Amino acid sequence: MGKLLHALPIPVVLVDHWQHIVFANQSCEKIGGADYRDIVGLPVTELIAAPTDSDKAQSLNARTLSLFEKAFTTRRPQKAEAIIEMKGMRTWCRLHLRAIRVGPVRYILVAVEDLTVEKVQLRLGQRNEQKLMKTHTVLNDLLKERTGKLLATDEQLRAEAAQHAHTAEQLRAERGRFHALCAYVPCGVARVALDGTLLYCNAPFKQVFEGTFVATSDQNPAGRAIEDRVTGREAVVPWLGSMTEETGNVHLPHTLTVRTGGYDGREVRVDAIKLESEYLLICNDAPQADVSKLESPQSAHIEALPAVDHG
């Protein structure tokens, strides 16, 4: 039987009823590198690595002896994991215990399964899992923080959008009231975009420049550009654009005397005030005899402004 046990590739020992090792095969040298003959006669508890705490060491010895006693009395296979220490080298093993009879004597056959690689992988897996859980917690907290900020920003943007809509509605109402007021003003009033697009003009403005502007409707030639067939845009738009360059004050009115494109070719005075995003034009009919009185250092004269088309 000894030859058979020596031929096994795994460490195997025989333990008698007094929990002493009576036989060890050559494969036991794989555990700790000790000579297999050196462990024969040792109590089985001396192969089990004892904790540094004395109470825990006594508890471990008691559990080990109880396990072997149970294998003897019940004659049923038992299995347990333990750390075997030989010559200061520790190996995590799984012990398979089975009661056998050799002649008239009964022994416990202990097959030792090396779990070192498996335990190392298990510990690495546990460490990686802990790191993963920690990273998951950090990312989850960061996600909650960013989500809270995004919700707060979204709420703020919604409030600003509502305020903007309210302001735009008020602006439209004020613009409507302005247009209604302009309808009763005797002089011509027009709003012109910074690029020269005519946004609004009242009836007197249209009448003064009849034949000069081509309206899209009877009262509101909106969307048309101040541009004549030849040189109108070259004269009017640069004049409007140069207002700030001349004085540095966008609110001072600048005066221009122009000739309408109607059949009578009347000359009118155009006062322009630059607002934030557009020009406000106010036109007063100026007779020929009073043209000299309208001249000023900031005035520009156009001898003939042909009929202005709206682009």
Side-chain angles (χ1 to χ4, degrees):
M1 184 176 179
K3 292 182 180 180
L4 178 62
L5 294 178
H6 279 302
L8 294 177
I10 61 174
V12 174
V13 297
L14 289 178
V15 180
D16 62 12
H17 190 71
W18 292 273
Q19 284 81 38
H20 283 71
I21 299 173
V22 297
F23 174 84
N25 68 350
Q26 296 178 359
S27 296
C28 290
E29 296 180 352
K30 297 179 180 179
I31 304 176
D35 192 311
Y36 69 95
R37 290 182 290 266
D38 294 341
I39 64 176
V40 176
L42 296 177
V44 69
T45 54
E46 291 192 9
L47 295 182
I48 308 299
T52 55
D53 186 87
S54 59
D55 294 336
K56 292 183 178 179
Q58 292 179 2
S59 176
L60 178 61
N61 289 337
R63 291 199 305 271
T64 302
L65 295 176
S66 176
L67 178 66
F68 278 86
E69 185 65 26
K70 184 177 181 180
F72 267 116
T73 56
T74 63
R75 300 179 184 179
R76 293 180 180 180
Q78 304 293 327
K79 184 168 57 174
E81 292 185 2
I83 299 177
I84 295 179
E85 184 175 8
M86 297 177 63
K87 289 187 176 182
M89 182 176 178
R90 295 190 173 193
T91 305
W92 193 283
C93 301
R94 181 180 289 119
L95 305 180
H96 301 269
L97 284 66
R98 180 179 292 273
I100 64 173
R101 182 184 293 275
V102 180
V105 184
R106 190 177 298 280
Y107 298 95
I108 297 295
L109 176 69
V110 182
V112 183
E113 179 185 0
D114 191 351
L115 298 179
T116 303
V117 177
E118 180 180 341
K119 286 298 181 180
V120 170
Q121 293 179 348
L122 179 61
R123 288 182 178 179
L124 288 177
Q126 290 175 345
R127 291 178 183 177
N128 292 335
E129 185 177 0
Q130 291 176 355
K131 291 181 179 179
L132 182 62
M133 292 297 296
K134 184 177 180 180
T135 304
H136 179 269
T137 302
V138 173
L139 291 178
N140 190 36
D141 294 341
L142 182 61
L143 178 62
K144 290 181 179 179
E145 179 184 355
R146 297 291 175 84
T147 302
K149 290 182 179 180
L150 287 176
L151 291 176
T153 303
D154 180 69
E155 187 68 23
Q156 182 180 358
L157 289 176
R158 289 178 182 273
E160 291 178 358
Q163 181 65 28
H164 176 73
H166 179 67
T167 303
E169 183 64 27
Q170 288 182 330
L171 180 60
R172 284 192 293 268
E174 291 295 332
R175 187 171 296 166
R177 285 191 285 269
F178 172 75
H179 292 170
L181 178 63
C182 290
Y184 294 95
V185 174
C187 60
V189 179
R191 293 172 42 239
V192 180
L194 297 181
D195 62 353
T197 302
L198 185 62
L199 302 175
Y200 166 82
C201 74
N202 63 355
F205 185 91
K206 180 186 174 185
Q207 293 173 2
V208 169
F209 289 93
E210 184 178 2
T212 303
F213 290 93
V214 179
T216 58
S217 66
D218 291 340
Q219 295 294 332
N220 184 19
R224 299 289 184 154
I226 297 181
E227 180 180 11
D228 68 357
R229 296 184 180 91
V230 182
T231 60
R233 189 176 183 85
E234 296 177 1
V236 177
V237 175
W239 169 64
L240 294 176
S242 64
M243 289 171 54
T244 306
E245 298 177 2
E246 292 177 0
T247 65
N249 190 335
V250 298
H251 300 294
L252 286 178
H254 284 231
T255 304
L256 176 71
T257 301
V258 299
R259 187 183 301 277
T260 63
Y263 66 91
D264 56 353
R266 293 179 299 165
E267 289 187 345
V268 296
R269 187 181 67 185
V270 180
D271 292 326
I273 300 177
K274 185 178 180 183
L275 305 178
E276 292 296 332
S277 59
E278 61 186 50
Y279 297 101
L280 180 63
L281 304 185
I282 302 175
C283 305
N284 296 285
D285 193 4
Q288 178 66 32
D290 296 333
V291 171
S292 59
K293 298 180 181 180
L294 300 176
E295 296 181 358
S296 66
Q298 297 178 357
S299 298
H301 296 271
I302 300 178
E303 294 297 334
L305 181 62
V308 177
D309 191 54
H310 291 75

